[in-house]
Amino acid sequence: MATIGSASLSASAHAHAGLAKPLAELRAFWRQFVAKAFNPYRPELHYMRGPGPAWRAKHLGRQNRALPVI
């Protein structure tokens, strides 16, 4: 006949439970880091190209008029 016994968690099980939360936090940090570091969406490569031709015409024309004639 088989007997069924109940036992409390062993010391190694308690140690494993104590490490579970920090490891889960570390795992979550690395997932977020990798997701952000290797995200292919880079808006600065497409939308922030600097002043365009209208800005240059307006501002460079002003500089040429302000130069003194020697």
Side-chain angles (χ1 to χ4, degrees), residues 43-64:
E44 69 274 9
L45 298 178
H46 304 285
Y47 303 115
M48 301 177 197
R49 295 187 178 186
W55 183 90
R56 286 188 185 94
K58 179 180 176 183
H59 290 88
L60 293 179
R62 192 182 300 167
Q63 283 181 348
N64 290 340

Side-chain angles (χ1 to χ4, degrees), residues 19-70:
L19 286 176
K21 186 174 180 179
L23 288 177
E25 291 174 358
L26 183 64
R27 194 175 309 131
F29 166 78
W30 278 110
R31 280 189 190 135
Q32 290 176 357
F33 174 78
V34 170
K36 289 179 183 177
F38 298 105
N39 184 359
Y41 179 64
R42 302 281 305 274
E44 69 274 9
L45 298 178
H46 304 285
Y47 303 115
M48 301 177 197
R49 295 187 178 186
W55 183 90
R56 286 188 185 94
K58 179 180 176 183
H59 290 88
L60 293 179
R62 192 182 300 167
Q63 283 181 348
N64 290 340
R65 284 183 263 142
L67 291 175
V69 178
I70 300 177

